Amino acid sequence: MITFTRLAALLTLLLPVLAQDQEDASRCSKIPDEINLTPLTDPFTFFNGQRVNSKSDWTCRRAEISQLVQRYQLGQLPTVASSAVKATYFEESRPKVNVAVTVGDKSISFNVTIVPATEPGKDSSPAIISFGVNTIPTLTGVANILFNNDEIAAQNSATSSRGVGLFYDLYGKDHSAGSLIAWAWGIGRVIDALEKLPEAKIDTKHLGVTGCSRNGKGVLIAGAFEPRIALTIPQEGGAGGPSCWRISDYLARKGINTQTAHQIITENTWHSPAFEPYVNQVGILPFDQHLVTALIAPRALYVPENNIDWLGPESAWGCQRAARTVWEALGVEDRIGFDQTAGHNHCQFPESEVEGLTAFVDRFLRGKKVKTDGYFKTEAEYPDYSDKFWRNWRVPTLR
């Protein structure tokens, strides 16, 4: 039995020890007030934990990311033999191309319209394929091809559009693909057709793709999954485009009115139904939009952005900074541009971004020797943003 006297003596012995522990603890580093338990996924580590150490490793990592994104977010992208695509060139008020695709016993066809280049080349001109209407400035020497992406896969609502469109006429209304990956499939068939039609006078080795807002989301996916696109220009795409799910969720929790994964599936059919179980727990996904963007590397990407809360401008900035590390590792950091300008309406291309756009088009579509570094910037200030908070990887030099 411990008496009061013995207890007092014991405390007398322990107090110096406790005081010493407190003194030692004061010299130790403190845990940060805010800890990010779901940082952006490392581009340079395979799913099995092995590191990406070479450019050939990146090719395999890219293939792995593509499979993961299709499985958990976008749905499967079908392959099509070139022989399954028939192409016809004809002229009405403007030149047009009819694209006919046969899969099994089913066939579909659609037209794209060509707006010829001003000052075209002798044999062919580079071209930019526009989702819906063209929202970027017309550039000398570059044709414009108008692609009706809504015809391939509808995007009217989350309930009425699922399984509607020519893509689903071929593959069935229950196909896993959301409209974004279906549009990428459609762009592939347009390129198949153009490759068969020299009379269309389109240089298929120098093709760009662009679109704004919801179509900007589709443009990023088309660039990621169609390797024949030389320059991808997703304009103000927001969530499901240049912005990262994890960062957008973080901004929403801070009270910023930003589109998030759990909202986007209630708006439209852009993503596969397979994405729905993850929209409230995006941190467990083995990728985010920075890795979707990185599927484009080492090809060229120019992202014209706006400072509108719903688009998640801080998310787009951080997400594309993370994606840029892949171009950096490949030694081609000047092939990715990001230009975030405030003070203009949604999808209104500002004069301040024309210089960057022109430089990227001149270099990657028109073949001019111009510099494209220095076009990764924002007019906004994000004092709370930190690369270290979202990125826990080192950037290798891949050879």
Side-chain angles (χ1 to χ4, degrees):
M1 181 175 180
I2 300 177
T3 65
F4 178 80
T5 302
R6 293 181 64 186
L7 180 60
L10 182 61
L11 288 174
T12 301
L13 293 173
L14 287 176
L15 284 174
V17 176
L18 294 172
Q20 183 64 43
D21 286 347
Q22 291 176 349
E23 182 180 348
D24 291 343
S26 68
R27 295 196 299 266
C28 299
S29 60
K30 295 181 179 180
I31 296 175
D33 292 336
E34 191 168 18
I35 298 175
N36 188 1
L37 300 179
T38 59
L40 297 176
T41 315
D42 182 356
F44 307 109
T45 299
F46 285 97
F47 191 75
N48 64 7
Q50 293 181 346
R51 287 288 293 171
V52 173
N53 293 312
S54 66
K55 291 181 180 179
S56 62
D57 283 348
W58 169 250
T59 300
C60 293
R61 174 63 169 145
R62 183 188 183 280
E64 179 180 84
I65 295 167
S66 174
Q67 294 173 44
L68 290 168
V69 173
Q70 289 180 70
R71 181 183 298 185
Y72 293 108
Q73 181 172 317
L74 298 176
Q76 294 300 308
L77 175 65
T79 57
V80 177
S82 178
S83 59
V85 180
K86 305 299 180 185
T88 306
Y89 176 81
F90 64 101
E91 295 192 20
E92 293 180 337
S93 57
R94 283 176 171 173
K96 295 181 184 292
V97 171
N98 177 261
V99 184
V101 187
T102 300
V103 175
D105 60 354
K106 297 180 180 179
S107 297
I108 58 99
S109 71
F110 60 94
N111 295 334
V112 294
T113 299
I114 299 175
V115 181
T118 57
E119 300 180 16
K122 292 182 179 180
D123 299 318
S124 62
S125 302
I128 295 176
I129 305 171
S130 295
F131 278 47
V133 298
N134 181 41
T135 57
I136 66 173
T138 299
L139 300 173
T140 302
V142 181
N144 187 218
I145 299 172
L146 303 178
F147 169 64
N148 184 359
N149 51 305
D150 289 1
E151 185 180 16
I152 302 300
Q155 55 170 336
N156 298 317
S157 77
T159 55
S160 64
S161 295
R162 180 72 67 189
V164 176
L166 294 176
F167 176 91
Y168 303 102
D169 292 345
L170 273 183
Y171 295 104
K173 64 181 180 62
D174 295 325
H175 193 278
S176 67
S179 53
L180 299 182
I181 203 75
W183 299 340
W185 174 92
I187 288 292
R189 308 295 72 77
V190 170
I191 299 174
D192 288 342
L194 291 171
E195 290 177 339
K196 298 172 184 286
L197 296 171
E199 59 267 40
K201 296 184 178 181
I202 297 297
D203 178 2
T204 56
K205 300 298 183 183
H206 294 90
L207 291 173
V209 62
T210 193
C212 189
S213 195
R214 57 181 54 198
N215 291 340
K217 304 179 197 296
V219 164
L220 184 74
I221 301 307
F225 285 90
E226 178 45 71
R228 291 171 291 181
I229 294 173
L231 174 60
T232 303
I233 312 170
Q235 182 185 3
E236 301 181 35
S243 299
C244 276
W245 302 119
R246 286 167 171 83
I247 304 178
S248 293
D249 266 6
Y250 174 78
L251 296 175
R253 288 196 298 269
K254 290 173 63 176
I256 298 173
N257 186 28
T258 299
Q259 188 174 42
T260 59
H262 61 266
Q263 184 281 331
I264 206 169
I265 63 165
T266 68
E267 183 177 344
N268 228 300
T269 56
W270 297 310
H271 299 91
S272 170
F275 187 44
E276 295 181 11
Y278 304 97
V279 297
N280 292 310
Q281 48 180 351
V282 293
I284 72 171
L285 289 169
F287 57 85
D288 209 314
Q289 292 299 108
H290 68 303
L291 293 191
V292 177
T293 301
L295 294 176
I296 298 170
R299 291 173 290 120
L301 169 69
Y302 177 73
V303 185
E305 270 296 325
N306 205 336
N307 192 18
I308 297 173
D309 281 353
W310 186 246
L311 300 175
E314 182 175 340
S315 179
W317 172 245
C319 193
Q320 296 307 298
R321 284 178 65 84
R324 184 173 59 161
T325 63
V326 174
W327 276 265
E328 179 185 346
L330 294 169
V332 290
E333 192 175 354
D334 60 349
R335 295 185 187 178
I336 177 172
F338 180 94
D339 207 342
Q340 192 174 65
T341 305
H344 63 278
N345 293 329
H346 186 40
C347 294
Q348 178 189 52
F349 203 92
E351 182 65 30
S352 59
E353 293 178 353
V354 172
E355 180 183 322
L357 171 69
T358 302
F360 272 78
V361 170
D362 279 351
R363 179 180 174 186
F364 298 106
L365 297 188
R366 300 181 68 189
K368 292 187 175 183
K369 294 182 179 180
V370 299
K371 292 184 177 181
T372 49
D373 52 355
Y375 293 108
F376 203 102
K377 59 187 187 296
T378 179
E379 288 185 353
E381 295 182 0
Y382 305 119
D384 296 331
Y385 177 81
S386 169
D387 285 332
K388 291 182 180 179
F389 185 76
W390 291 105
R391 287 158 38 185
N392 57 6
W393 64 82
R394 64 173 181 84
V395 181
T397 299
L398 304 178
R399 303 188 186 282

